[in-house]
Amino acid sequence: MSQTRYVTTPIYYVNDRPHIGHAYTTIAADVLARWWRSQGDDVFFLTGTDEHGAKVAESAAAAGKTVTEFIAEHRVEFQRSYERLGIRYDKFIATTDPSHERQVVAFLEKLKRNDAIYEGEYRGLYCVGCEDFYTEKELIDGCCPVHGTAPEEIKERNFFFKLSSFLPDVERRIRNGEIQIEPKARRNETLALMKQGIPDFSISREKVTWGIPFPGDPKQTVYVWAEALQNYITALGALEPDRTQFETFWPHALHIIGKDILKFHAVWWPALLLAAGERPPQRIFAHGFFTVDGKKMSKSLGNVLNPNTMVETFGMDGTRYLLLTQFPFGGDGDVQRERFVEKYNADLANGIGNYASRVLAMVQKYSGSEVPTGDAGAAVMKKIGTAKVRFDEAMESLQFDGALKTIRELLAFGDSIVDTKKPWELAKNKNEQLSVVLVELLTLLTFVTYRIVPFMPETAEKIGAALGIDVSHEDKQWPLPPGRALQPLPPLFPRLT
Ligand code: MSP
Protein backbone atom coordinates (compact mmCIF):
# COMPACT_ATOMS: atom_id res chain seq x y z
CA MET A 1 0.00 0.00 0.00
CA SER A 2 1.49 3.27 -1.06
CA GLN A 3 2.00 5.94 1.58
CA THR A 4 2.60 9.67 1.68
CA ARG A 5 5.97 10.68 3.14
CA TYR A 6 7.63 13.95 4.03
CA VAL A 7 11.26 13.98 5.13
CA THR A 8 13.39 17.00 5.99
CA THR A 9 16.96 17.81 7.02
CA PRO A 10 17.97 20.84 9.08
CA ILE A 11 18.62 23.85 6.91
CA TYR A 12 22.33 24.47 7.34
CA TYR A 13 23.89 27.81 8.16
CA VAL A 14 25.18 29.13 4.95
CA ASN A 15 28.27 30.69 6.55
CA ASP A 16 29.96 27.29 6.73
CA ARG A 17 31.30 25.24 3.87
CA PRO A 18 29.58 21.88 3.49
CA HIS A 19 31.36 19.30 5.61
CA ILE A 20 30.78 15.69 6.36
CA GLY A 21 28.49 16.55 9.32
CA HIS A 22 25.99 18.14 6.95
CA ALA A 23 26.48 15.35 4.43
CA TYR A 24 25.78 12.74 7.11
CA THR A 25 22.25 13.96 7.92
CA THR A 26 21.44 14.76 4.31
CA ILE A 27 22.56 11.35 3.01
CA ALA A 28 20.41 9.69 5.66
CA ALA A 29 17.35 11.67 4.52
CA ASP A 30 18.13 10.92 0.89
CA VAL A 31 18.42 7.20 1.62
CA LEU A 32 14.97 7.23 3.15
CA ALA A 33 13.48 9.27 0.32
CA ARG A 34 14.95 6.95 -2.31
CA TRP A 35 13.83 3.90 -0.39
CA TRP A 36 10.25 5.11 -0.15
CA ARG A 37 10.19 6.17 -3.79
CA SER A 38 11.40 2.73 -4.83
CA GLN A 39 8.48 1.25 -2.88
CA GLY A 40 6.00 3.42 -4.76
CA ASP A 41 5.33 5.96 -1.99
CA ASP A 42 4.46 9.59 -2.65
CA VAL A 43 7.54 11.36 -1.27
CA PHE A 44 8.61 14.94 -0.65
CA PHE A 45 12.22 15.45 0.47
CA LEU A 46 13.22 18.92 1.61
CA THR A 47 16.62 20.38 2.40
CA GLY A 48 18.08 23.87 2.20
CA THR A 49 20.09 26.67 3.76
CA ASP A 50 19.56 28.95 6.75
CA GLU A 51 20.62 32.35 5.50
CA HIS A 52 19.65 35.06 8.01
CA GLY A 53 20.98 36.01 11.42
CA ALA A 54 24.01 37.45 13.15
CA LYS A 55 26.29 34.53 12.43
CA VAL A 56 25.86 34.69 8.66
CA ALA A 57 26.14 38.50 8.60
CA GLU A 58 29.34 38.43 10.70
CA SER A 59 30.92 35.77 8.49
CA ALA A 60 30.13 37.75 5.34
CA ALA A 61 31.70 40.87 6.84
CA ALA A 62 34.79 38.91 7.86
CA ALA A 63 35.11 37.63 4.30
CA GLY A 64 34.86 41.19 2.98
CA LYS A 65 31.75 40.41 0.93
CA THR A 66 28.24 41.71 0.78
CA VAL A 67 25.86 39.33 2.51
CA THR A 68 23.97 38.54 -0.69
CA GLU A 69 27.18 37.73 -2.58
CA PHE A 70 28.46 35.63 0.28
CA ILE A 71 25.35 33.53 0.76
CA ALA A 72 24.86 32.93 -2.96
CA GLU A 73 28.41 31.54 -3.24
CA HIS A 74 28.07 29.28 -0.23
CA ARG A 75 24.61 28.06 -1.15
CA VAL A 76 25.91 26.85 -4.50
CA GLU A 77 28.65 24.95 -2.70
CA PHE A 78 26.05 23.04 -0.72
CA GLN A 79 24.14 22.26 -3.88
CA ARG A 80 27.26 21.09 -5.73
CA SER A 81 28.33 18.91 -2.88
CA TYR A 82 24.87 17.33 -2.76
CA GLU A 83 25.03 16.63 -6.46
CA ARG A 84 28.30 14.75 -5.99
CA LEU A 85 26.77 12.77 -3.14
CA GLY A 86 23.71 11.83 -5.18
CA ILE A 87 21.28 13.76 -2.98
CA ARG A 88 18.00 13.97 -4.88
CA TYR A 89 15.84 16.45 -3.02
CA ASP A 90 12.40 17.55 -4.20
CA LYS A 91 12.99 21.10 -3.03
CA PHE A 92 15.93 23.17 -1.83
CA ILE A 93 14.70 26.02 0.32
CA ALA A 94 16.72 29.15 1.06
CA THR A 95 15.33 31.34 3.83
CA THR A 96 15.97 34.48 1.77
CA ASP A 97 13.39 33.17 -0.69
CA PRO A 98 10.64 35.86 -0.91
CA SER A 99 7.89 33.29 -0.48
CA HIS A 100 9.46 32.06 2.79
CA GLU A 101 9.86 35.64 4.02
CA ARG A 102 6.27 36.49 3.19
CA GLN A 103 4.92 33.40 4.91
CA VAL A 104 7.02 33.99 8.03
CA VAL A 105 5.43 37.42 8.39
CA ALA A 106 1.96 35.88 7.95
CA PHE A 107 2.79 33.20 10.55
CA LEU A 108 3.91 35.80 13.10
CA GLU A 109 0.85 37.91 12.46
CA LYS A 110 -1.21 34.86 13.24
CA LEU A 111 0.69 34.37 16.52
CA LYS A 112 0.00 37.99 17.38
CA ARG A 113 -3.69 37.59 16.63
CA ASN A 114 -3.75 34.46 18.76
CA ASP A 115 -2.23 36.42 21.62
CA ALA A 116 0.91 34.30 21.76
CA ILE A 117 3.34 37.24 21.58
CA TYR A 118 4.16 39.94 24.13
CA GLU A 119 6.74 42.69 24.44
CA GLY A 120 9.40 42.55 27.09
CA GLU A 121 12.92 43.44 28.13
CA TYR A 122 15.58 40.89 27.52
CA ARG A 123 18.91 40.48 29.22
CA GLY A 124 20.92 37.40 28.60
CA LEU A 125 24.11 35.69 27.54
CA TYR A 126 24.04 35.06 23.82
CA CYS A 127 26.23 32.67 21.80
CA VAL A 128 26.31 33.74 18.16
CA GLY A 129 27.62 30.30 17.12
CA CYS A 130 24.43 28.68 18.47
CA GLU A 131 22.22 31.72 17.82
CA ASP A 132 20.83 31.00 21.28
CA PHE A 133 20.85 32.30 24.85
CA TYR A 134 22.46 30.48 27.76
CA THR A 135 22.03 30.69 31.51
CA GLU A 136 25.15 31.07 33.72
CA LYS A 137 24.55 27.50 34.90
CA GLU A 138 24.75 26.05 31.40
CA LEU A 139 28.15 27.61 30.64
CA ILE A 140 31.37 25.69 31.12
CA ASP A 141 34.08 27.92 32.59
CA GLY A 142 32.07 30.90 31.41
CA CYS A 143 32.00 29.62 27.83
CA CYS A 144 29.39 28.10 25.51
CA PRO A 145 29.34 24.30 25.96
CA VAL A 146 29.15 23.74 22.19
CA HIS A 147 31.51 26.38 20.82
CA GLY A 148 33.84 26.99 23.76
CA THR A 149 33.60 30.75 23.24
CA ALA A 150 32.47 33.40 25.72
CA PRO A 151 28.88 34.52 25.08
CA GLU A 152 28.00 38.23 24.73
CA GLU A 153 25.74 39.95 27.21
CA ILE A 154 22.69 41.25 25.35
CA LYS A 155 20.07 43.63 26.69
CA GLU A 156 17.23 44.78 24.50
CA ARG A 157 13.50 45.23 24.07
CA ASN A 158 12.12 42.20 22.26
CA PHE A 159 8.97 40.43 21.35
CA PHE A 160 8.54 37.19 23.23
CA PHE A 161 6.76 33.98 22.42
CA LYS A 162 4.51 32.63 25.19
CA LEU A 163 6.11 29.23 25.12
CA SER A 164 4.91 28.45 28.66
CA SER A 165 1.26 28.51 27.56
CA PHE A 166 1.86 25.68 25.10
CA LEU A 167 4.28 23.45 27.00
CA PRO A 168 1.62 21.29 28.69
CA ASP A 169 0.03 20.55 25.31
CA VAL A 170 3.39 19.72 23.72
CA GLU A 171 4.23 17.43 26.63
CA ARG A 172 0.89 15.66 26.39
CA ARG A 173 1.40 15.03 22.70
CA ILE A 174 4.91 13.69 23.24
CA ARG A 175 3.62 11.35 25.94
CA ASN A 176 0.68 10.07 23.91
CA GLY A 177 2.82 9.54 20.82
CA GLU A 178 1.21 12.19 18.60
CA ILE A 179 4.71 13.65 18.40
CA GLN A 180 7.17 10.79 18.18
CA ILE A 181 10.70 11.59 19.28
CA GLU A 182 13.35 9.02 18.52
CA PRO A 183 15.54 7.37 19.63
CA LYS A 184 13.91 6.81 23.01
CA ALA A 185 16.80 8.44 24.88
CA ARG A 186 16.08 11.71 23.04
CA ARG A 187 12.41 11.51 23.95
CA ASN A 188 13.37 11.11 27.60
CA GLU A 189 15.87 13.94 27.32
CA THR A 190 13.15 16.21 25.92
CA LEU A 191 10.70 15.32 28.67
CA ALA A 192 13.39 15.87 31.33
CA LEU A 193 14.21 19.26 29.84
CA MET A 194 10.55 20.25 29.92
CA LYS A 195 10.28 19.17 33.52
CA GLN A 196 13.14 21.52 34.45
CA GLY A 197 11.21 24.29 32.70
CA ILE A 198 12.04 26.04 29.45
CA PRO A 199 11.62 29.81 29.53
CA ASP A 200 9.66 31.87 27.01
CA PHE A 201 12.03 33.02 24.31
CA SER A 202 12.37 36.24 22.42
CA ILE A 203 11.50 35.98 18.78
CA SER A 204 12.84 39.32 17.61
CA ARG A 205 16.23 41.02 17.56
CA GLU A 206 16.84 44.73 17.83
CA LYS A 207 20.47 44.79 16.82
CA VAL A 208 20.52 42.19 14.09
CA THR A 209 19.74 43.87 10.80
CA TRP A 210 20.21 40.83 8.54
CA GLY A 211 16.82 39.25 8.92
CA ILE A 212 13.13 39.50 8.10
CA PRO A 213 11.62 42.78 9.41
CA PHE A 214 9.36 42.02 12.35
CA PRO A 215 5.71 42.60 11.48
CA GLY A 216 4.52 45.83 13.09
CA ASP A 217 7.99 46.91 14.21
CA PRO A 218 10.45 47.29 11.32
CA LYS A 219 13.23 48.32 13.75
CA GLN A 220 13.46 44.67 14.79
CA THR A 221 14.12 41.54 12.78
CA VAL A 222 12.70 38.08 13.31
CA TYR A 223 14.99 35.88 15.45
CA VAL A 224 16.69 33.43 13.12
CA TRP A 225 15.51 30.23 14.85
CA ALA A 226 11.92 31.48 14.96
CA GLU A 227 11.88 31.77 11.18
CA ALA A 228 14.26 28.93 10.25
CA LEU A 229 12.00 26.29 11.80
CA GLN A 230 9.16 27.56 9.68
CA ASN A 231 10.97 26.48 6.51
CA TYR A 232 9.44 23.04 6.99
CA ILE A 233 5.97 24.44 6.32
CA THR A 234 6.71 27.47 4.13
CA ALA A 235 8.41 25.12 1.63
CA LEU A 236 5.01 23.47 1.22
CA GLY A 237 3.18 26.77 0.92
CA ALA A 238 1.39 26.53 4.29
CA LEU A 239 0.62 30.25 4.33
CA GLU A 240 0.15 30.75 0.62
CA PRO A 241 -3.33 30.82 -0.92
CA ASP A 242 -2.90 27.31 -2.33
CA ARG A 243 -2.25 24.93 0.58
CA THR A 244 -2.62 21.68 -1.33
CA GLN A 245 0.99 20.56 -0.99
CA PHE A 246 1.02 21.45 2.70
CA GLU A 247 -2.17 19.56 3.37
CA THR A 248 -0.87 16.52 1.52
CA PHE A 249 2.56 16.20 3.08
CA TRP A 250 2.62 17.97 6.44
CA PRO A 251 0.66 15.29 8.40
CA HIS A 252 3.49 12.85 7.54
CA ALA A 253 6.46 15.00 8.51
CA LEU A 254 9.67 13.38 9.70
CA HIS A 255 12.42 15.80 10.74
CA ILE A 256 15.88 14.28 10.75
CA ILE A 257 18.23 16.39 12.85
CA GLY A 258 21.42 16.15 14.88
CA LYS A 259 20.99 15.91 18.65
CA ASP A 260 22.46 19.43 19.03
CA ILE A 261 19.22 21.01 17.85
CA LEU A 262 16.73 18.79 19.66
CA LYS A 263 15.23 21.46 21.94
CA PHE A 264 14.38 23.71 19.01
CA HIS A 265 12.67 20.92 17.09
CA ALA A 266 11.04 18.92 19.86
CA VAL A 267 9.83 21.79 22.06
CA TRP A 268 9.92 25.20 20.40
CA TRP A 269 8.70 24.08 16.99
CA PRO A 270 5.63 22.09 18.14
CA ALA A 271 4.71 24.99 20.46
CA LEU A 272 5.00 27.57 17.68
CA LEU A 273 2.81 25.42 15.44
CA LEU A 274 0.16 24.91 18.11
CA ALA A 275 0.12 28.64 18.76
CA ALA A 276 -0.55 29.22 15.07
CA GLY A 277 -3.32 26.62 15.04
CA GLU A 278 -1.35 24.03 13.05
CA ARG A 279 -0.57 20.46 13.97
CA PRO A 280 2.93 19.61 15.26
CA PRO A 281 5.34 17.38 13.30
CA GLN A 282 4.58 13.69 13.45
CA ARG A 283 8.09 12.40 13.99
CA ILE A 284 11.49 13.77 14.95
CA PHE A 285 14.57 11.60 14.75
CA ALA A 286 17.74 13.02 16.31
CA HIS A 287 20.93 11.23 15.36
CA GLY A 288 24.13 11.39 17.37
CA PHE A 289 27.32 13.27 16.70
CA PHE A 290 30.49 11.81 15.40
CA THR A 291 34.09 12.45 16.12
CA VAL A 292 36.80 11.80 13.55
CA ASP A 293 39.62 9.49 14.62
CA GLY A 294 38.52 9.86 18.22
CA LYS A 295 38.52 13.68 18.21
CA LYS A 296 35.95 16.38 17.67
CA MET A 297 36.17 17.60 14.07
CA SER A 298 37.95 20.93 14.01
CA LYS A 299 39.90 23.02 11.56
CA SER A 300 42.81 23.40 13.99
CA LEU A 301 43.17 19.61 14.38
CA GLY A 302 43.04 19.23 10.61
CA ASN A 303 40.56 16.36 10.85
CA VAL A 304 37.61 18.00 9.10
CA LEU A 305 36.38 15.48 6.57
CA ASN A 306 35.51 16.99 3.25
CA PRO A 307 32.71 15.16 1.42
CA ASN A 308 34.17 16.08 -1.96
CA THR A 309 37.53 14.47 -1.20
CA MET A 310 35.78 11.37 0.05
CA VAL A 311 33.84 11.14 -3.21
CA GLU A 312 37.11 11.42 -5.18
CA THR A 313 38.51 8.40 -3.37
CA PHE A 314 35.48 6.18 -2.76
CA GLY A 315 33.00 7.40 -5.35
CA MET A 316 29.47 8.59 -4.62
CA ASP A 317 28.19 5.20 -3.53
CA GLY A 318 31.30 4.30 -1.55
CA THR A 319 31.07 7.56 0.42
CA ARG A 320 27.38 7.09 1.18
CA TYR A 321 27.99 3.52 2.27
CA LEU A 322 31.01 4.27 4.44
CA LEU A 323 29.35 7.15 6.26
CA LEU A 324 26.22 5.24 7.16
CA THR A 325 28.00 2.10 8.34
CA GLN A 326 30.41 3.58 10.88
CA PHE A 327 28.05 3.16 13.85
CA PRO A 328 24.29 2.74 14.34
CA PHE A 329 22.27 5.77 13.25
CA GLY A 330 20.93 7.52 16.34
CA GLY A 331 23.91 7.02 18.64
CA ASP A 332 27.22 8.86 18.89
CA GLY A 333 30.23 7.32 17.28
CA ASP A 334 33.66 7.68 15.82
CA VAL A 335 34.50 7.85 12.14
CA GLN A 336 37.80 6.12 11.58
CA ARG A 337 39.47 7.28 8.42
CA GLU A 338 42.05 4.51 8.59
CA ARG A 339 39.36 1.89 8.33
CA PHE A 340 37.66 3.37 5.26
CA VAL A 341 39.84 1.54 2.72
CA GLU A 342 39.63 -1.74 4.59
CA LYS A 343 35.84 -1.53 4.83
CA TYR A 344 35.47 -0.42 1.23
CA ASN A 345 37.51 -3.41 0.04
CA ALA A 346 35.77 -5.91 2.31
CA ASP A 347 32.15 -4.85 1.87
CA LEU A 348 32.09 -3.27 -1.57
CA ALA A 349 34.98 -4.53 -3.73
CA ASN A 350 34.90 -8.08 -2.30
CA GLY A 351 31.24 -7.97 -1.28
CA ILE A 352 28.58 -6.75 -3.66
CA GLY A 353 31.06 -5.86 -6.45
CA ASN A 354 32.60 -9.29 -6.55
CA TYR A 355 29.31 -11.15 -6.15
CA ALA A 356 27.63 -9.32 -9.03
CA SER A 357 30.52 -9.76 -11.45
CA ARG A 358 31.00 -13.40 -10.44
CA VAL A 359 27.35 -14.31 -10.96
CA LEU A 360 27.08 -12.52 -14.29
CA ALA A 361 30.33 -14.10 -15.51
CA MET A 362 28.96 -17.56 -14.68
CA VAL A 363 25.68 -16.90 -16.48
CA GLN A 364 27.66 -15.72 -19.48
CA LYS A 365 29.89 -18.78 -19.47
CA TYR A 366 27.41 -21.53 -18.69
CA SER A 367 24.20 -20.11 -20.14
CA GLY A 368 25.23 -17.83 -22.99
CA SER A 369 24.25 -14.74 -20.91
CA GLU A 370 20.64 -15.88 -20.83
CA VAL A 371 18.55 -16.37 -17.72
CA PRO A 372 18.20 -20.18 -17.47
CA THR A 373 14.88 -21.94 -16.99
CA GLY A 374 14.28 -23.25 -13.50
CA ASP A 375 12.85 -22.31 -10.13
CA ALA A 376 14.87 -21.13 -7.17
CA GLY A 377 14.63 -23.58 -4.27
CA ALA A 378 12.43 -22.93 -1.24
CA ALA A 379 15.45 -22.38 1.02
CA VAL A 380 16.64 -19.45 -1.08
CA MET A 381 13.19 -17.91 -1.36
CA LYS A 382 12.77 -18.22 2.40
CA LYS A 383 16.10 -16.47 3.02
CA ILE A 384 14.99 -13.62 0.78
CA GLY A 385 11.63 -13.44 2.53
CA THR A 386 13.26 -13.16 5.96
CA ALA A 387 15.81 -10.63 4.73
CA LYS A 388 13.00 -8.54 3.25
CA VAL A 389 11.11 -8.37 6.55
CA ARG A 390 14.27 -7.46 8.47
CA PHE A 391 15.34 -4.91 5.92
CA ASP A 392 11.91 -3.22 5.87
CA GLU A 393 11.81 -3.02 9.66
CA ALA A 394 15.32 -1.62 9.87
CA MET A 395 14.51 1.08 7.30
CA GLU A 396 11.30 2.09 9.05
CA SER A 397 13.26 2.67 12.25
CA LEU A 398 16.17 4.37 10.43
CA GLN A 399 18.59 1.58 11.31
CA PHE A 400 20.55 1.93 8.11
CA ASP A 401 23.46 -0.21 9.17
CA GLY A 402 21.03 -2.93 10.25
CA ALA A 403 19.40 -2.87 6.81
CA LEU A 404 22.79 -3.13 5.12
CA LYS A 405 23.75 -5.97 7.41
CA THR A 406 20.88 -8.07 6.04
CA ILE A 407 22.28 -7.39 2.56
CA ARG A 408 25.81 -8.39 3.57
CA GLU A 409 24.44 -11.60 5.06
CA LEU A 410 22.47 -12.39 1.94
CA LEU A 411 25.55 -11.88 -0.22
CA ALA A 412 27.56 -14.15 2.05
CA PHE A 413 24.79 -16.74 1.67
CA GLY A 414 25.01 -16.37 -2.13
CA ASP A 415 28.77 -16.85 -1.98
CA SER A 416 28.29 -19.98 0.12
CA ILE A 417 25.97 -21.41 -2.56
CA VAL A 418 28.72 -20.90 -5.14
CA ASP A 419 31.32 -22.50 -2.88
CA THR A 420 29.24 -25.57 -2.01
CA LYS A 421 27.43 -26.19 -5.29
CA LYS A 422 30.48 -25.40 -7.46
CA PRO A 423 28.74 -24.42 -10.73
CA TRP A 424 31.91 -25.13 -12.75
CA GLU A 425 31.74 -28.80 -11.70
CA LEU A 426 28.02 -29.00 -12.42
CA ALA A 427 28.81 -27.62 -15.89
CA LYS A 428 31.57 -30.14 -16.44
CA ASN A 429 29.27 -33.02 -15.45
CA LYS A 430 26.35 -31.59 -17.42
CA ASN A 431 24.31 -31.69 -14.21
CA GLU A 432 20.75 -30.33 -14.53
CA GLN A 433 21.13 -28.64 -11.15
CA LEU A 434 23.26 -25.96 -12.84
CA SER A 435 20.25 -23.98 -14.09
CA VAL A 436 18.65 -23.98 -10.66
CA VAL A 437 21.85 -22.77 -9.01
CA LEU A 438 22.27 -19.97 -11.56
CA VAL A 439 18.63 -18.93 -11.12
CA GLU A 440 19.10 -18.86 -7.35
CA LEU A 441 22.22 -16.73 -7.61
CA LEU A 442 20.48 -14.34 -10.00
CA THR A 443 17.37 -14.12 -7.85
CA LEU A 444 19.49 -13.16 -4.84
CA LEU A 445 21.29 -10.57 -6.95
CA THR A 446 18.03 -9.05 -8.21
CA PHE A 447 16.65 -8.72 -4.70
CA VAL A 448 19.90 -7.18 -3.42
CA THR A 449 20.01 -4.75 -6.36
CA TYR A 450 16.56 -3.39 -5.58
CA ARG A 451 17.49 -3.03 -1.95
CA ILE A 452 20.77 -1.18 -2.44
CA VAL A 453 19.02 1.48 -4.55
CA PRO A 454 18.64 3.91 -1.62
CA PHE A 455 22.22 3.51 -0.43
CA MET A 456 24.17 3.06 -3.66
CA PRO A 457 22.06 4.45 -6.49
CA GLU A 458 24.79 4.37 -9.16
CA THR A 459 25.75 0.78 -8.44
CA ALA A 460 22.12 -0.31 -8.43
CA GLU A 461 21.63 1.37 -11.83
CA LYS A 462 24.63 -0.47 -13.29
CA ILE A 463 23.62 -3.89 -12.01
CA GLY A 464 20.00 -3.15 -12.92
CA ALA A 465 21.03 -2.39 -16.52
CA ALA A 466 22.91 -5.70 -16.72
CA LEU A 467 19.91 -7.60 -15.33
CA GLY A 468 17.39 -5.69 -17.46
CA ILE A 469 15.40 -4.38 -14.49
CA ASP A 470 14.13 -0.88 -13.74
CA VAL A 471 15.54 -0.17 -10.30
CA SER A 472 13.55 3.00 -9.77
CA HIS A 473 10.56 0.91 -8.85
CA GLU A 474 10.82 -2.42 -7.05
CA ASP A 475 9.00 -5.13 -8.93
CA LYS A 476 8.48 -7.68 -6.18
CA GLN A 477 8.98 -10.57 -8.58
CA TRP A 478 12.65 -11.24 -7.92
CA PRO A 479 13.19 -14.24 -10.19
CA LEU A 480 14.00 -12.90 -13.66
CA PRO A 481 12.05 -14.15 -16.69
CA PRO A 482 13.74 -17.22 -18.27
CA GLY A 483 15.42 -16.53 -21.58
CA ARG A 484 16.15 -12.86 -20.84
CA ALA A 485 19.47 -11.78 -22.35
CA LEU A 486 21.71 -10.24 -19.72
CA GLN A 487 24.09 -7.39 -20.50
CA PRO A 488 27.76 -7.01 -19.54
CA LEU A 489 28.46 -5.38 -16.19
CA PRO A 490 31.01 -2.55 -15.91
CA PRO A 491 33.48 -2.73 -12.98
CA LEU A 492 31.72 -1.59 -9.80
CA PHE A 493 34.18 -1.04 -6.97
CA PRO A 494 37.82 -1.30 -8.04
CA ARG A 495 39.95 -2.51 -5.14
CA LEU A 496 41.87 0.23 -3.33
CA THR A 497 45.31 -0.14 -1.83
N1 MSP B 1 20.67 26.35 10.91
C1 MSP B 1 20.50 25.50 12.02
C2 MSP B 1 19.40 24.49 11.78
C3 MSP B 1 18.06 25.08 11.49
S1 MSP B 1 16.87 23.86 11.16
C4 MSP B 1 15.44 24.65 11.13
C5 MSP B 1 21.82 24.73 12.26
N2 MSP B 1 22.64 24.62 11.23
S2 MSP B 1 24.08 23.90 11.24
O1 MSP B 1 24.67 24.23 9.98
O2 MSP B 1 24.82 24.23 12.41
O3 MSP B 1 23.76 22.36 11.18
C6 MSP B 1 23.62 21.57 12.31
C7 MSP B 1 23.40 20.12 11.85
O4 MSP B 1 24.55 19.64 11.11
C8 MSP B 1 23.27 19.13 12.98
O5 MSP B 1 21.99 19.10 13.54
C9 MSP B 1 23.61 17.84 12.27
O6 MSP B 1 22.49 17.45 11.50
C10 MSP B 1 24.75 18.25 11.33
N3 MSP B 1 26.09 18.04 11.92
C11 MSP B 1 27.06 18.99 12.06
N4 MSP B 1 28.18 18.42 12.61
C12 MSP B 1 27.98 17.11 12.85
C13 MSP B 1 28.75 16.05 13.43
N5 MSP B 1 30.00 16.20 13.84
N6 MSP B 1 28.15 14.83 13.55
C14 MSP B 1 26.88 14.62 13.11
N7 MSP B 1 26.14 15.60 12.58
C15 MSP B 1 26.63 16.86 12.43
O7 MSP B 1 22.02 24.23 13.36
Side-chain angles (χ1 to χ4, degrees), residues 85 102 104 129 136 194 228 252 292 294 298 300 329 339 353 368 428-429 457 471 475:
L85 291 164
R102 214 168 40 235
V104 165
E136 294 275 1
M194 293 177 83
H252 310 279
V292 175
S298 86
S300 53
F329 196 68
R339 291 207 48 230
K428 209 164 66 194
N429 306 331
V471 293
D475 164 8

Side-chain angles (χ1 to χ4, degrees), residues 75-365:
R75 185 196 304 140
V76 167
E77 280 206 43
F78 273 94
Q79 290 167 337
R80 282 206 194 113
S81 151
Y82 290 171
E83 209 168 294
R84 293 192 186 108
L85 291 164
I87 309 290
R88 225 176 77 206
Y89 45 79
D90 294 293
K91 182 169 177 149
F92 187 101
I93 187 167
T95 52
T96 49
D97 181 301
S99 160
H100 171 80
E101 297 189 345
R102 214 168 40 235
Q103 292 183 72
V104 165
V105 170
F107 187 92
L108 292 175
E109 277 166 349
K110 218 169 180 183
L111 294 192
K112 273 187 171 172
R113 278 199 304 276
N114 295 352
D115 209 19
I117 288 181
Y118 60 92
E119 247 188 300
E121 163 110 344
Y122 206 86
R123 189 192 283 270
L125 297 164
Y126 195 71
C127 169
V128 178
C130 295
E131 296 277 17
D132 194 15
F133 285 101
Y134 280 97
T135 59
E136 294 275 1
K137 231 179 34 212
E138 289 167 326
L139 301 179
I140 299 174
D141 295 332
C143 290
C144 160
V146 180
H147 293 90
T149 47
E152 296 171 47
E153 173 144 9
I154 287 187
K155 188 180 147 224
E156 53 184 42
R157 279 205 76 67
N158 284 159
F159 291 100
F160 280 74
F161 171 60
K162 271 190 199 163
L163 178 70
S164 46
S165 313
F166 301 93
L167 285 180
D169 198 4
V170 174
E171 185 180 338
R172 185 179 61 80
R173 289 170 197 251
I174 295 175
R175 289 198 187 278
N176 73 14
E178 262 176 76
I179 306 173
Q180 291 173 47
I181 302 173
E182 291 163 74
K184 211 167 166 212
R186 301 287 163 226
R187 177 181 182 268
N188 294 343
E189 182 185 322
T190 309
L191 290 169
L193 201 70
M194 293 177 83
K195 206 164 168 198
Q196 272 174 30
I198 305 178
D200 289 354
F201 59 93
S202 84
I203 53 168
S204 69
R205 290 289 180 273
E206 205 175 38
K207 298 196 180 77
V208 180
T209 50
W210 181 240
I212 302 173
F214 201 88
D217 186 350
K219 284 200 303 299
Q220 305 224 18
T221 56
V222 180
Y223 168 42
V224 65
W225 266 106
E227 58 132 320
L229 288 163
Q230 292 180 51
N231 90 88
Y232 301 128
I233 64 165
T234 62
L236 300 175
L239 294 109
E240 294 283 24
D242 180 1
R243 283 176 37 114
T244 321
Q245 224 173 22
F246 173 72
E247 274 155 12
T248 307
F249 292 103
W250 180 245
H252 310 279
L254 161 62
H255 298 316
I256 302 185
I257 56 168
K259 64 174 187 178
D260 54 329
I261 53 178
L262 182 66
K263 175 187 77 180
F264 305 106
H265 284 80
V267 183
W268 285 14
W269 179 222
L272 283 165
L273 284 160
L274 289 170
E278 302 290 357
R279 67 156 85 189
Q282 191 198 37
R283 193 174 173 199
I284 299 162
F285 191 105
H287 65 71
F289 253 50
F290 57 74
T291 47
V292 175
D293 301 331
K295 302 205 178 66
K296 195 176 164 183
M297 256 197 313
S298 86
K299 283 190 193 126
S300 53
L301 286 175
N303 66 347
V304 177
L305 269 178
N306 180 335
N308 300 339
T309 338
M310 263 191 91
V311 173
E312 278 163 29
T313 316
F314 304 107
M316 172 196 286
D317 289 2
T319 304
R320 292 166 68 101
Y321 182 89
L322 289 173
L323 283 179
L324 288 188
T325 51
Q326 295 295 311
F327 54 90
F329 196 68
D332 290 330
D334 190 36
V335 170
Q336 295 170 305
R337 283 185 293 188
E338 267 179 17
R339 291 207 48 230
F340 279 168
V341 170
E342 190 189 311
K343 200 160 169 55
Y344 169 98
N345 284 337
D347 295 359
L348 302 177
N350 297 346
I352 175 75
N354 183 53
Y355 181 80
S357 71
R358 202 177 178 198
V359 170
L360 282 157
M362 284 190 286
V363 178
Q364 184 194 23
K365 196 158 167 197

